[in-house]
mmCIF file with all atom_site columns, all heavy atoms in Angstrom:
data_model
loop_
_atom_site.group_PDB
_atom_site.id
_atom_site.type_symbol
_atom_site.label_atom_id
_atom_site.label_alt_id
_atom_site.label_comp_id
_atom_site.label_asym_id
_atom_site.label_entity_id
_atom_site.label_seq_id
_atom_site.pdbx_PDB_ins_code
_atom_site.Cartn_x
_atom_site.Cartn_y
_atom_site.Cartn_z
_atom_site.occupancy
_atom_site.B_iso_or_equiv
_atom_site.pdbx_formal_charge
_atom_site.auth_seq_id
_atom_site.auth_comp_id
_atom_site.auth_asym_id
_atom_site.auth_atom_id
_atom_site.pdbx_PDB_model_num
ATOM 1   N N   . LEU R 1 61 ? -2.826  10.867 -1.548 1.00 0.00 ? 61 LEU R N   1
ATOM 2   C CA  . LEU R 1 61 ? -3.498  9.693  -2.087 1.00 0.00 ? 61 LEU R CA  1
ATOM 3   C C   . LEU R 1 61 ? -3.083  8.435  -1.328 1.00 0.00 ? 61 LEU R C   1
ATOM 4   O O   . LEU R 1 61 ? -1.921  8.287  -0.932 1.00 0.00 ? 61 LEU R O   1
ATOM 5   C CB  . LEU R 1 61 ? -3.159  9.515  -3.569 1.00 0.00 ? 61 LEU R CB  1
ATOM 6   C CG  . LEU R 1 61 ? -3.474  10.697 -4.496 1.00 0.00 ? 61 LEU R CG  1
ATOM 7   C CD1 . LEU R 1 61 ? -2.939  10.427 -5.890 1.00 0.00 ? 61 LEU R CD1 1
ATOM 8   C CD2 . LEU R 1 61 ? -4.980  10.968 -4.525 1.00 0.00 ? 61 LEU R CD2 1
ATOM 9   N N   . LEU R 1 62 ? -4.033  7.544  -1.153 1.00 0.00 ? 62 LEU R N   1
ATOM 10  C CA  . LEU R 1 62 ? -3.779  6.246  -0.550 1.00 0.00 ? 62 LEU R CA  1
ATOM 11  C C   . LEU R 1 62 ? -4.081  5.195  -1.605 1.00 0.00 ? 62 LEU R C   1
ATOM 12  O O   . LEU R 1 62 ? -5.230  5.017  -2.006 1.00 0.00 ? 62 LEU R O   1
ATOM 13  C CB  . LEU R 1 62 ? -4.662  6.046  0.687  1.00 0.00 ? 62 LEU R CB  1
ATOM 14  C CG  . LEU R 1 62 ? -4.431  4.768  1.497  1.00 0.00 ? 62 LEU R CG  1
ATOM 15  C CD1 . LEU R 1 62 ? -3.031  4.761  2.111  1.00 0.00 ? 62 LEU R CD1 1
ATOM 16  C CD2 . LEU R 1 62 ? -5.489  4.625  2.589  1.00 0.00 ? 62 LEU R CD2 1
ATOM 17  N N   . ASP R 1 63 ? -3.040  4.544  -2.089 1.00 0.00 ? 63 ASP R N   1
ATOM 18  C CA  . ASP R 1 63 ? -3.161  3.621  -3.219 1.00 0.00 ? 63 ASP R CA  1
ATOM 19  C C   . ASP R 1 63 ? -3.885  4.262  -4.399 1.00 0.00 ? 63 ASP R C   1
ATOM 20  O O   . ASP R 1 63 ? -4.769  3.663  -5.024 1.00 0.00 ? 63 ASP R O   1
ATOM 21  C CB  . ASP R 1 63 ? -3.886  2.342  -2.791 1.00 0.00 ? 63 ASP R CB  1
ATOM 22  C CG  . ASP R 1 63 ? -2.916  1.280  -2.264 1.00 0.00 ? 63 ASP R CG  1
ATOM 23  O OD1 . ASP R 1 63 ? -1.686  1.509  -2.331 1.00 0.00 ? 63 ASP R OD1 1
ATOM 24  O OD2 . ASP R 1 63 ? -3.380  0.230  -1.798 1.00 0.00 ? 63 ASP R OD2 1
ATOM 25  N N   . GLY R 1 64 ? -3.546  5.523  -4.669 1.00 0.00 ? 64 GLY R N   1
ATOM 26  C CA  . GLY R 1 64 ? -4.070  6.209  -5.834 1.00 0.00 ? 64 GLY R CA  1
ATOM 27  C C   . GLY R 1 64 ? -5.426  6.852  -5.669 1.00 0.00 ? 64 GLY R C   1
ATOM 28  O O   . GLY R 1 64 ? -5.921  7.506  -6.583 1.00 0.00 ? 64 GLY R O   1
ATOM 29  N N   . ALA R 1 65 ? -6.029  6.722  -4.489 1.00 0.00 ? 65 ALA R N   1
ATOM 30  C CA  . ALA R 1 65 ? -7.350  7.298  -4.237 1.00 0.00 ? 65 ALA R CA  1
ATOM 31  C C   . ALA R 1 65 ? -7.267  8.293  -3.085 1.00 0.00 ? 65 ALA R C   1
ATOM 32  O O   . ALA R 1 65 ? -6.380  8.195  -2.224 1.00 0.00 ? 65 ALA R O   1
ATOM 33  C CB  . ALA R 1 65 ? -8.352  6.197  -3.899 1.00 0.00 ? 65 ALA R CB  1
ATOM 34  N N   . PRO R 1 66 ? -8.183  9.283  -3.043 1.00 0.00 ? 66 PRO R N   1
ATOM 35  C CA  . PRO R 1 66 ? -8.179  10.228 -1.922 1.00 0.00 ? 66 PRO R CA  1
ATOM 36  C C   . PRO R 1 66 ? -8.357  9.515  -0.586 1.00 0.00 ? 66 PRO R C   1
ATOM 37  O O   . PRO R 1 66 ? -8.963  8.431  -0.514 1.00 0.00 ? 66 PRO R O   1
ATOM 38  C CB  . PRO R 1 66 ? -9.382  11.135 -2.240 1.00 0.00 ? 66 PRO R CB  1
ATOM 39  C CG  . PRO R 1 66 ? -9.575  11.013 -3.713 1.00 0.00 ? 66 PRO R CG  1
ATOM 40  C CD  . PRO R 1 66 ? -9.217  9.601  -4.053 1.00 0.00 ? 66 PRO R CD  1
ATOM 41  N N   . LEU R 1 67 ? -7.850  10.108 0.460  1.00 0.00 ? 67 LEU R N   1
ATOM 42  C CA  . LEU R 1 67 ? -8.016  9.526  1.798  1.00 0.00 ? 67 LEU R CA  1
ATOM 43  C C   . LEU R 1 67 ? -9.501  9.411  2.138  1.00 0.00 ? 67 LEU R C   1
ATOM 44  O O   . LEU R 1 67 ? -10.284 10.315 1.837  1.00 0.00 ? 67 LEU R O   1
ATOM 45  C CB  . LEU R 1 67 ? -7.328  10.398 2.843  1.00 0.00 ? 67 LEU R CB  1
ATOM 46  C CG  . LEU R 1 67 ? -5.805  10.484 2.802  1.00 0.00 ? 67 LEU R CG  1
ATOM 47  C CD1 . LEU R 1 67 ? -5.316  11.505 3.826  1.00 0.00 ? 67 LEU R CD1 1
ATOM 48  C CD2 . LEU R 1 67 ? -5.178  9.125  3.070  1.00 0.00 ? 67 LEU R CD2 1
ATOM 49  N N   . PRO R 1 68 ? -9.903  8.318  2.774  1.00 0.00 ? 68 PRO R N   1
ATOM 50  C CA  . PRO R 1 68 ? -11.311 8.191  3.172  1.00 0.00 ? 68 PRO R CA  1
ATOM 51  C C   . PRO R 1 68 ? -11.686 9.243  4.204  1.00 0.00 ? 68 PRO R C   1
ATOM 52  O O   . PRO R 1 68 ? -10.879 9.594  5.071  1.00 0.00 ? 68 PRO R O   1
ATOM 53  C CB  . PRO R 1 68 ? -11.393 6.777  3.752  1.00 0.00 ? 68 PRO R CB  1
ATOM 54  C CG  . PRO R 1 68 ? -9.989  6.433  4.135  1.00 0.00 ? 68 PRO R CG  1
ATOM 55  C CD  . PRO R 1 68 ? -9.108  7.143  3.165  1.00 0.00 ? 68 PRO R CD  1
ATOM 56  N N   . THR R 1 69 ? -12.916 9.732  4.108  1.00 0.00 ? 69 THR R N   1
ATOM 57  C CA  . THR R 1 69 ? -13.381 10.771 5.034  1.00 0.00 ? 69 THR R CA  1
ATOM 58  C C   . THR R 1 69 ? -14.396 10.237 6.035  1.00 0.00 ? 69 THR R C   1
ATOM 59  O O   . THR R 1 69 ? -14.796 10.960 6.946  1.00 0.00 ? 69 THR R O   1
ATOM 60  C CB  . THR R 1 69 ? -14.010 11.939 4.249  1.00 0.00 ? 69 THR R CB  1
ATOM 61  O OG1 . THR R 1 69 ? -15.052 11.431 3.402  1.00 0.00 ? 69 THR R OG1 1
ATOM 62  C CG2 . THR R 1 69 ? -12.960 12.625 3.388  1.00 0.00 ? 69 THR R CG2 1
ATOM 63  N N   . PHE R 1 70 ? -14.804 8.985  5.870  1.00 0.00 ? 70 PHE R N   1
ATOM 64  C CA  . PHE R 1 70 ? -15.762 8.392  6.792  1.00 0.00 ? 70 PHE R CA  1
ATOM 65  C C   . PHE R 1 70 ? -15.191 7.106  7.378  1.00 0.00 ? 70 PHE R C   1
ATOM 66  O O   . PHE R 1 70 ? -14.358 6.441  6.758  1.00 0.00 ? 70 PHE R O   1
ATOM 67  C CB  . PHE R 1 70 ? -17.082 8.076  6.073  1.00 0.00 ? 70 PHE R CB  1
ATOM 68  C CG  . PHE R 1 70 ? -17.767 9.290  5.514  1.00 0.00 ? 70 PHE R CG  1
ATOM 69  C CD1 . PHE R 1 70 ? -17.658 9.611  4.167  1.00 0.00 ? 70 PHE R CD1 1
ATOM 70  C CD2 . PHE R 1 70 ? -18.522 10.123 6.324  1.00 0.00 ? 70 PHE R CD2 1
ATOM 71  C CE1 . PHE R 1 70 ? -18.282 10.730 3.640  1.00 0.00 ? 70 PHE R CE1 1
ATOM 72  C CE2 . PHE R 1 70 ? -19.151 11.244 5.822  1.00 0.00 ? 70 PHE R CE2 1
ATOM 73  C CZ  . PHE R 1 70 ? -19.034 11.549 4.469  1.00 0.00 ? 70 PHE R CZ  1
ATOM 74  N N   . GLY R 1 71 ? -15.656 6.774  8.578  1.00 0.00 ? 71 GLY R N   1
ATOM 75  C CA  . GLY R 1 71 ? -15.199 5.560  9.222  1.00 0.00 ? 71 GLY R CA  1
ATOM 76  C C   . GLY R 1 71 ? -13.796 5.698  9.782  1.00 0.00 ? 71 GLY R C   1
ATOM 77  O O   . GLY R 1 71 ? -13.247 6.801  9.906  1.00 0.00 ? 71 GLY R O   1
ATOM 78  N N   . TYR R 1 72 ? -13.196 4.575  10.115 1.00 0.00 ? 72 TYR R N   1
ATOM 79  C CA  . TYR R 1 72 ? -11.860 4.574  10.711 1.00 0.00 ? 72 TYR R CA  1
ATOM 80  C C   . TYR R 1 72 ? -10.828 5.008  9.677  1.00 0.00 ? 72 TYR R C   1
ATOM 81  O O   . TYR R 1 72 ? -10.841 4.548  8.538  1.00 0.00 ? 72 TYR R O   1
ATOM 82  C CB  . TYR R 1 72 ? -11.516 3.176  11.232 1.00 0.00 ? 72 TYR R CB  1
ATOM 83  C CG  . TYR R 1 72 ? -10.249 3.144  12.056 1.00 0.00 ? 72 TYR R CG  1
ATOM 84  C CD1 . TYR R 1 72 ? -10.294 3.337  13.429 1.00 0.00 ? 72 TYR R CD1 1
ATOM 85  C CD2 . TYR R 1 72 ? -9.006  2.931  11.459 1.00 0.00 ? 72 TYR R CD2 1
ATOM 86  C CE1 . TYR R 1 72 ? -9.133  3.324  14.193 1.00 0.00 ? 72 TYR R CE1 1
ATOM 87  C CE2 . TYR R 1 72 ? -7.842  2.913  12.205 1.00 0.00 ? 72 TYR R CE2 1
ATOM 88  C CZ  . TYR R 1 72 ? -7.913  3.108  13.577 1.00 0.00 ? 72 TYR R CZ  1
ATOM 89  O OH  . TYR R 1 72 ? -6.770  3.106  14.325 1.00 0.00 ? 72 TYR R OH  1
ATOM 90  N N   . ARG R 1 73 ? -9.924  5.889  10.092 1.00 0.00 ? 73 ARG R N   1
ATOM 91  C CA  . ARG R 1 73 ? -8.899  6.399  9.174  1.00 0.00 ? 73 ARG R CA  1
ATOM 92  C C   . ARG R 1 73 ? -7.704  5.451  9.160  1.00 0.00 ? 73 ARG R C   1
ATOM 93  O O   . ARG R 1 73 ? -7.101  5.205  10.210 1.00 0.00 ? 73 ARG R O   1
ATOM 94  C CB  . ARG R 1 73 ? -8.445  7.794  9.598  1.00 0.00 ? 73 ARG R CB  1
ATOM 95  C CG  . ARG R 1 73 ? -9.527  8.856  9.483  1.00 0.00 ? 73 ARG R CG  1
ATOM 96  C CD  . ARG R 1 73 ? -9.032  10.180 10.044 1.00 0.00 ? 73 ARG R CD  1
ATOM 97  N NE  . ARG R 1 73 ? -10.050 11.214 9.957  1.00 0.00 ? 73 ARG R NE  1
ATOM 98  C CZ  . ARG R 1 73 ? -10.132 12.108 8.970  1.00 0.00 ? 73 ARG R CZ  1
ATOM 99  N NH1 . ARG R 1 73 ? -9.255  12.062 7.983  1.00 0.00 ? 73 ARG R NH1 1
ATOM 100 N NH2 . ARG R 1 73 ? -11.074 13.015 8.974  1.00 0.00 ? 73 ARG R NH2 1
ATOM 101 N N   . PRO R 1 74 ? -7.316  4.958  7.992  1.00 0.00 ? 74 PRO R N   1
ATOM 102 C CA  . PRO R 1 74 ? -6.176  4.038  7.918  1.00 0.00 ? 74 PRO R CA  1
ATOM 103 C C   . PRO R 1 74 ? -4.833  4.717  8.137  1.00 0.00 ? 74 PRO R C   1
ATOM 104 O O   . PRO R 1 74 ? -3.824  4.045  8.324  1.00 0.00 ? 74 PRO R O   1
ATOM 105 C CB  . PRO R 1 74 ? -6.278  3.457  6.498  1.00 0.00 ? 74 PRO R CB  1
ATOM 106 C CG  . PRO R 1 74 ? -7.016  4.493  5.724  1.00 0.00 ? 74 PRO R CG  1
ATOM 107 C CD  . PRO R 1 74 ? -7.967  5.132  6.682  1.00 0.00 ? 74 PRO R CD  1
ATOM 108 N N   . VAL R 1 75 ? -4.809  6.060  8.090  1.00 0.00 ? 75 VAL R N   1
ATOM 109 C CA  . VAL R 1 75 ? -3.593  6.820  8.403  1.00 0.00 ? 75 VAL R CA  1
ATOM 110 C C   . VAL R 1 75 ? -3.827  7.521  9.728  1.00 0.00 ? 75 VAL R C   1
ATOM 111 O O   . VAL R 1 75 ? -4.664  8.422  9.829  1.00 0.00 ? 75 VAL R O   1
ATOM 112 C CB  . VAL R 1 75 ? -3.260  7.846  7.301  1.00 0.00 ? 75 VAL R CB  1
ATOM 113 C CG1 . VAL R 1 75 ? -1.947  8.558  7.629  1.00 0.00 ? 75 VAL R CG1 1
ATOM 114 C CG2 . VAL R 1 75 ? -3.189  7.181  5.927  1.00 0.00 ? 75 VAL R CG2 1
ATOM 115 N N   . GLN R 1 76 ? -3.111  7.104  10.751 1.00 0.00 ? 76 GLN R N   1
ATOM 116 C CA  . GLN R 1 76 ? -3.301  7.629  12.097 1.00 0.00 ? 76 GLN R CA  1
ATOM 117 C C   . GLN R 1 76 ? -2.124  8.512  12.488 1.00 0.00 ? 76 GLN R C   1
ATOM 118 O O   . GLN R 1 76 ? -0.957  8.170  12.250 1.00 0.00 ? 76 GLN R O   1
ATOM 119 C CB  . GLN R 1 76 ? -3.440  6.481  13.101 1.00 0.00 ? 76 GLN R CB  1
ATOM 120 C CG  . GLN R 1 76 ? -4.755  5.737  12.995 1.00 0.00 ? 76 GLN R CG  1
ATOM 121 C CD  . GLN R 1 76 ? -5.926  6.552  13.526 1.00 0.00 ? 76 GLN R CD  1
ATOM 122 O OE1 . GLN R 1 76 ? -5.868  7.118  14.623 1.00 0.00 ? 76 GLN R OE1 1
ATOM 123 N NE2 . GLN R 1 76 ? -6.992  6.622  12.746 1.00 0.00 ? 76 GLN R NE2 1
#
Side-chain angles (χ1 to χ4, degrees):
L61 303 174
L62 185 64
D63 271 355
L67 293 174
T69 55
F70 298 100
Y72 189 90
R73 294 175 180 264
V75 183
Q76 288 288 312

